[in-house]
PDB file of all heavy atoms in Angstrom:
ATOM      1  N   MET L  64     -21.740  18.260   7.377  1.00 97.00           N
ATOM      2  CA  MET L  64     -20.853  19.368   7.037  1.00 97.00           C
ATOM      3  C   MET L  64     -19.562  19.228   7.810  1.00 97.00           C
ATOM      4  O   MET L  64     -19.570  18.900   9.000  1.00 97.00           O
ATOM      5  CB  MET L  64     -21.502  20.710   7.383  1.00 97.00           C
ATOM      6  CG  MET L  64     -20.634  21.889   7.008  1.00 97.00           C
ATOM      7  SD  MET L  64     -21.540  23.438   7.252  1.00 97.00           S
ATOM      8  CE  MET L  64     -20.189  24.602   7.127  1.00 97.00           C
ATOM      9  N   THR L  65     -18.467  19.443   7.117  1.00 97.00           N
ATOM     10  CA  THR L  65     -17.148  19.510   7.737  1.00 97.00           C
ATOM     11  C   THR L  65     -16.648  20.932   7.521  1.00 97.00           C
ATOM     12  O   THR L  65     -16.647  21.430   6.394  1.00 97.00           O
ATOM     13  CB  THR L  65     -16.175  18.507   7.095  1.00 97.00           C
ATOM     14  OG1 THR L  65     -16.716  17.196   7.231  1.00 97.00           O
ATOM     15  CG2 THR L  65     -14.816  18.560   7.769  1.00 97.00           C
ATOM     16  N   GLY L  66     -16.284  21.591   8.599  1.00 96.00           N
ATOM     17  CA  GLY L  66     -15.827  22.965   8.502  1.00 96.00           C
ATOM     18  C   GLY L  66     -14.880  23.309   9.638  1.00 96.00           C
ATOM     19  O   GLY L  66     -14.505  22.449  10.429  1.00 96.00           O
ATOM     20  N   GLN L  67     -14.511  24.567   9.692  1.00 94.00           N
ATOM     21  CA  GLN L  67     -13.645  25.051  10.756  1.00 94.00           C
ATOM     22  C   GLN L  67     -14.320  26.198  11.478  1.00 94.00           C
ATOM     23  O   GLN L  67     -15.017  27.006  10.872  1.00 94.00           O
ATOM     24  CB  GLN L  67     -12.291  25.499  10.201  1.00 94.00           C
ATOM     25  CG  GLN L  67     -11.429  24.322   9.803  1.00 94.00           C
ATOM     26  CD  GLN L  67     -10.021  24.747   9.465  1.00 94.00           C
ATOM     27  OE1 GLN L  67      -9.751  25.090   8.333  1.00 94.00           O
ATOM     28  NE2 GLN L  67      -9.150  24.719  10.458  1.00 94.00           N
ATOM     29  N   GLY L  68     -14.105  26.256  12.778  1.00 93.00           N
ATOM     30  CA  GLY L  68     -14.659  27.310  13.601  1.00 93.00           C
ATOM     31  C   GLY L  68     -14.752  26.836  15.036  1.00 93.00           C
ATOM     32  O   GLY L  68     -15.030  25.672  15.291  1.00 93.00           O
ATOM     33  N   LYS L  69     -14.508  27.728  15.950  1.00 91.00           N
ATOM     34  CA  LYS L  69     -14.554  27.374  17.371  1.00 91.00           C
ATOM     35  C   LYS L  69     -15.888  27.797  17.968  1.00 91.00           C
ATOM     36  O   LYS L  69     -16.526  28.732  17.510  1.00 91.00           O
ATOM     37  CB  LYS L  69     -13.420  28.068  18.124  1.00 91.00           C
ATOM     38  CG  LYS L  69     -12.055  27.579  17.738  1.00 91.00           C
ATOM     39  CD  LYS L  69     -10.982  28.255  18.561  1.00 91.00           C
ATOM     40  CE  LYS L  69      -9.621  27.739  18.161  1.00 91.00           C
ATOM     41  NZ  LYS L  69      -8.550  28.345  18.932  1.00 91.00           N
ATOM     42  N   GLY L  70     -16.299  27.091  19.001  1.00 92.00           N
ATOM     43  CA  GLY L  70     -17.484  27.480  19.751  1.00 92.00           C
ATOM     44  C   GLY L  70     -18.805  27.117  19.115  1.00 92.00           C
ATOM     45  O   GLY L  70     -19.853  27.546  19.571  1.00 92.00           O
ATOM     46  N   ILE L  71     -18.782  26.334  18.059  1.00 95.00           N
ATOM     47  CA  ILE L  71     -20.022  25.913  17.409  1.00 95.00           C
ATOM     48  C   ILE L  71     -20.543  24.709  18.171  1.00 95.00           C
ATOM     49  O   ILE L  71     -19.795  23.789  18.498  1.00 95.00           O
ATOM     50  CB  ILE L  71     -19.768  25.576  15.929  1.00 95.00           C
ATOM     51  CG1 ILE L  71     -19.185  26.805  15.222  1.00 95.00           C
ATOM     52  CG2 ILE L  71     -21.041  25.103  15.249  1.00 95.00           C
ATOM     53  CD1 ILE L  71     -18.650  26.526  13.839  1.00 95.00           C
ATOM     54  N   LYS L  72     -21.844  24.721  18.478  1.00 95.00           N
ATOM     55  CA  LYS L  72     -22.412  23.661  19.311  1.00 95.00           C
ATOM     56  C   LYS L  72     -23.782  23.246  18.780  1.00 95.00           C
ATOM     57  O   LYS L  72     -24.375  23.951  17.952  1.00 95.00           O
ATOM     58  CB  LYS L  72     -22.508  24.122  20.760  1.00 95.00           C
ATOM     59  CG  LYS L  72     -23.428  25.302  20.977  1.00 95.00           C
ATOM     60  CD  LYS L  72     -23.393  25.786  22.404  1.00 95.00           C
ATOM     61  CE  LYS L  72     -24.328  26.904  22.706  1.00 95.00           C
ATOM     62  NZ  LYS L  72     -24.723  27.803  21.671  1.00 95.00           N
ATOM     63  N   PRO L  73     -24.292  22.097  19.249  1.00 95.00           N
ATOM     64  CA  PRO L  73     -25.633  21.675  18.833  1.00 95.00           C
ATOM     65  C   PRO L  73     -26.664  22.756  19.145  1.00 95.00           C
ATOM     66  O   PRO L  73     -26.597  23.419  20.179  1.00 95.00           O
ATOM     67  CB  PRO L  73     -25.884  20.421  19.680  1.00 95.00           C
ATOM     68  CG  PRO L  73     -24.522  19.902  19.987  1.00 95.00           C
ATOM     69  CD  PRO L  73     -23.661  21.126  20.148  1.00 95.00           C
ATOM     70  N   GLY L  74     -27.586  22.939  18.222  1.00 95.00           N
ATOM     71  CA  GLY L  74     -28.611  23.965  18.377  1.00 95.00           C
ATOM     72  C   GLY L  74     -28.254  25.260  17.671  1.00 95.00           C
ATOM     73  O   GLY L  74     -29.130  26.058  17.365  1.00 95.00           O
ATOM     74  N   ASP L  75     -26.963  25.491  17.421  1.00 96.00           N
ATOM     75  CA  ASP L  75     -26.539  26.676  16.683  1.00 96.00           C
ATOM     76  C   ASP L  75     -27.002  26.569  15.230  1.00 96.00           C
ATOM     77  O   ASP L  75     -27.353  25.488  14.748  1.00 96.00           O
ATOM     78  CB  ASP L  75     -25.013  26.834  16.709  1.00 96.00           C
ATOM     79  CG  ASP L  75     -24.493  27.378  18.026  1.00 96.00           C
ATOM     80  OD1 ASP L  75     -25.305  27.673  18.923  1.00 96.00           O
ATOM     81  OD2 ASP L  75     -23.263  27.503  18.157  1.00 96.00           O
TER      82      ASP L  75
END
Side-chain angles (χ1 to χ4, degrees):
M64 182 173 167
T65 302
Q67 286 189 272
K69 293 183 180 181
I71 302 169
K72 63 185 183 333
D75 283 358

